[in-house]
Amino acid sequence: MNLALRVASIALPLAMLGAAAALAQAVPPAAPPPAEAVPPPAPPPPPAPPSNQFSPNELIDAGHRFFGGVSRGLAMIVEKAVSQWGQPNGYILGEEASGAFVGGLRYGDGTLYTKNAGDLRVFWQGPSIGFDAGADGARTMMLVYNLPRTEAIFDRFGGINGSAYFIGGFGMTALVSNHITVVPIRSGVGLRLGANIGYLKFTGSPTWNPF
């Protein structure tokens, strides 16, 4: 009898362990919680425009104040210049007078404006030759590109072939020297009939010598 009780006392716990193991195998493990969706990284912000360049709106506002009253033509010619040469890092506002009979001369003075290199008084003069006759006086806005320093404007700038445009009462051409591009914009009162070629020489003081 004692032996039977001992066997029963040993067999019962073993049976219970076996049942628990079977039950544990029958119940599938709990699924892990779903991973939280990770949003895609935000695209990087567009690069800010260089701090030393003038936007088209800044140029148009300056031109409106300078020329006065003429807006649509100025906006169109500035947009044309920016689409072709980009945003300038300087511009000149000034007045000039010119005259021609086959050969011509042009004289002007104004101020070169920059964002972070200060402003500079400039004078310009230059000869021209071509099928051209007449005289005029005009306010002039010149966009200046790739200017490394303000004093670099003091040079001779020759015309770029095929760069002349006439839009909305304004005329625009392009001059270049040492990778610097100057784009004079003149109102209708300053446009002479005819065609001419020449250059402009910028100086720090007035002179009658156009060469």
Side-chain angles (χ1 to χ4, degrees):
M1 185 65 179
N2 292 335
L3 179 61
L5 291 176
R6 290 179 182 178
V7 172
S9 63
I10 295 173
L12 181 60
L14 291 177
M16 294 176 65
L17 289 174
L23 181 61
Q25 292 179 359
V27 177
E36 294 184 1
V38 178
S51 60
N52 65 334
Q53 294 182 351
F54 292 92
S55 69
N57 287 338
E58 290 175 311
L59 298 173
I60 293 171
D61 289 343
H64 285 178
R65 293 191 298 269
F66 183 66
F67 290 105
V70 283
S71 56
R72 179 174 174 80
L74 175 63
M76 293 171 64
I77 206 80
V78 166
E79 289 173 359
K80 176 66 178 179
V82 171
S83 69
Q84 185 156 350
W85 292 287
Q87 295 185 5
N89 62 341
Y91 66 89
I92 297 171
L93 296 178
E95 297 182 349
E96 64 178 27
S98 63
F101 185 76
V102 182
L105 296 173
R106 186 180 297 274
Y107 294 91
D109 70 277
T111 301
L112 168 65
Y113 296 94
T114 67
K115 277 197 171 182
N116 55 11
D119 303 332
L120 183 67
R121 183 74 182 275
V122 296
F123 300 84
W124 61 90
Q125 51 283 153
S128 65
I129 187 169
F131 302 100
D132 195 3
D136 61 52
R139 291 187 172 188
T140 302
M141 181 180 195
M142 301 186 188
L143 311 184
V144 185
Y145 295 88
N146 305 319
L147 187 68
R149 61 190 186 281
T150 54
E151 292 77 10
I153 195 68
F154 298 135
D155 205 343
R156 287 180 174 86
F157 291 79
I160 300 176
N161 290 334
S163 66
Y165 298 92
F166 299 91
I167 304 175
F170 283 80
M172 175 184 74
T173 187
L175 313 170
V176 66
S177 176
N178 293 325
H179 306 292
I180 303 172
T181 302
V182 175
V183 181
I185 299 174
R186 300 180 176 97
S187 61
V189 68
L191 302 178
R192 285 203 308 267
L193 295 177
N196 63 70
I197 57 175
Y199 65 83
L200 286 182
K201 179 183 69 173
F202 289 87
T203 59
S205 58
T207 176
W208 289 106
N209 180 8
F211 304 101

